[in-house]
Amino acid sequence: IQYLAGDPRLTPEGDVWVPDEHDTTKFEPSARGGNLWPYRGRYDVPNTTPDALQLQQLYAGMAAEECTAVVMEVSSHALALGRTDGTSFDIAVFTNLTRDHLDFHGSFEEYREAKLKLFRELTDPDRQRAVINLDDPEAHHFIKAASKVPIITYSMENSDAAVYAESVELSLFETAVLLKCPEGDIQAVSGLLGRFNVSNMLAAAAVGVALGAPLETIAYGIENCEAVPGRFEMIDEGQPFAVITDYAHTPDALERVLLAAREIGARRILLVFGAGGDRDRGKRPMMGRIAHELADVVFVCNDNPRTECLQQICADIVSGFPVELHNAHPEANFNWLQDMWHTRHTGAWDEMGHTLELQNDVRRYILEERFYAIRIAIAMADEGDAVIIAGKGHEDYLDWKVDWVDRRKHWFDDRQEARDTLQRVVPLQEAGVDTRNLPWDQVNR
């Protein structure tokens, strides 16, 4: 029986779909505020890791095209549900383990157990290798799980690691590294930005060491690796500040991205983010706290609400803001840390504008429409700032069930929305519109 299950990456012959351009969304139009557009993207893939039968079909298609190696992300869901059964990995890489997917696994310990399964299945010391990040506090669990095969460690902090970052130079446009390896040193300059990407370079170099690749080959790979879409990806339209999209949707990932932006020299950080619906609610206040502590200006908005109430998701995030912020305006007899449009349901029309004034004062905005949050954040940025749009990264859709639309998936791409904004905001500012606060106003009116 032919098995396809509608996977858009495969042709009926099992061949792998190849995009016409490197970024298939770049020339798509932006969305429209207050509207939900039909999904028209080309990355409509339901799972990080396909199921076991689809994987074998993918492998067969790749082999028919004379592909000799496969690099894949293996999710904890895939391991727990047996999607990689029948796949024997030559190298398994452990990068880090932080809180995620607890709605599925139930506890952090069960989440870790799912990940460990990949390393316990490494049993052939002649063929298989494990690559493990010593900088992660969970590393010892993975070292024990992979004890039957040779282990190559890497680290930015521990000089005893097989692959170690001897020196790192970070900037807003490139990263220079000197890596110590068992066979010698690697010097490379990469367009990948941020300290966490140095850790990724170390992981890649350690895989190269495990494969026995020449050092010059490893260096060439590091220097010629392009930025992964939606992973600390710069959106450049010639503006004098950075606009960065990133997939960070957990507390740890959000913290790493914000610290990276500060470390590469951002004057101010303006953060746009939300949290997914029908997922682990416990991480929302944690993300709210991290956003408040590490960003200068914060915009809380939607991020795949799915079937959950968007107002409640935002409230969960805002609950992570400190008590001092919630009590910053005791004279206000209404909830001013919510989207201003909700005040109309209480009949307090006069409070809508007052809500913006109070949020301006603390530079913490709740704008449920991601469309507007992105535009207002970019319009508010000055030279040397960094606008971080976090949570969705490469995704070109919103997963949002609303009563008046008979579909869940809607077209929306953070990268394209950022490009559209950068192209439109300059003419507005040149025309005398002051975009530094909400609502926008005429300069010296």
Side-chain angles (χ1 to χ4, degrees), residues 16-229:
V16 182
W17 168 78
V18 178
D20 296 327
E21 310 91 11
H22 289 297
D23 183 352
T24 61
T25 67
K26 186 169 184 178
F27 301 106
E28 290 280 6
S30 66
R32 292 291 181 270
N35 292 281
L36 295 174
W37 285 35
Y39 178 72
R40 57 172 176 269
R42 298 178 68 177
Y43 299 124
D44 189 14
V45 180
N47 302 313
T48 300
T49 311
D51 68 33
L53 289 174
Q54 287 177 298
L55 271 178
Q56 295 303 319
Q57 190 173 37
L58 277 166
Y59 298 152
M62 293 175 184
E65 297 294 329
E66 300 183 352
C67 177
T68 59
V70 176
V71 180
M72 63 183 294
E73 179 181 3
V74 179
S75 69
S76 60
H77 288 72
L79 292 163
L81 297 173
R83 292 179 190 159
T84 56
D85 290 357
T87 297
S88 179
F89 294 93
D90 294 285
I91 298 176
V93 182
F94 169 68
T95 56
N96 67 300
L97 188 72
T98 59
R99 178 185 179 125
D100 201 6
H101 306 306
L102 299 196
D103 54 296
F104 176 81
H105 296 287
S107 68
F108 181 81
E109 290 71 25
E110 289 300 316
Y111 177 42
R112 182 177 61 209
E113 280 299 307
K115 293 283 191 178
L116 287 170
K117 179 182 177 182
L118 177 64
F119 292 82
R120 292 191 178 116
E121 291 176 350
L122 301 176
T123 58
D124 183 352
D126 294 328
R127 176 175 63 88
Q128 296 177 310
R129 301 287 185 269
V131 171
I132 293 176
N133 179 14
L134 288 184
D135 295 337
D136 191 273
E138 301 294 322
H140 63 284
H141 293 288
F142 291 83
I143 291 173
K144 181 179 179 181
S147 60
K148 295 180 181 179
V149 301
I151 296 172
I152 297 90
T153 57
Y154 69 91
S155 174
M156 293 184 65
E157 302 169 1
N158 188 340
S159 59
D160 292 331
V163 181
Y164 169 65
E166 179 77 13
S167 69
V168 177
E169 295 180 13
L170 303 171
S171 74
L172 196 58
F173 300 103
E174 65 181 23
T175 303
V177 296
L178 171 62
L179 309 183
K180 308 290 286 187
C181 299
E183 301 299 324
D185 296 348
I186 294 174
Q187 283 187 305
V189 177
S190 171
L192 302 179
L193 306 177
R195 186 167 292 274
F196 63 90
N197 264 324
V198 175
S199 186
N200 290 334
M201 294 177 210
L202 286 165
V207 171
V209 169
L211 292 170
L215 295 181
E216 57 269 22
T217 300
I218 298 173
Y220 179 87
I222 291 173
E223 291 196 326
N224 289 275
C225 181
E226 297 180 356
V228 178

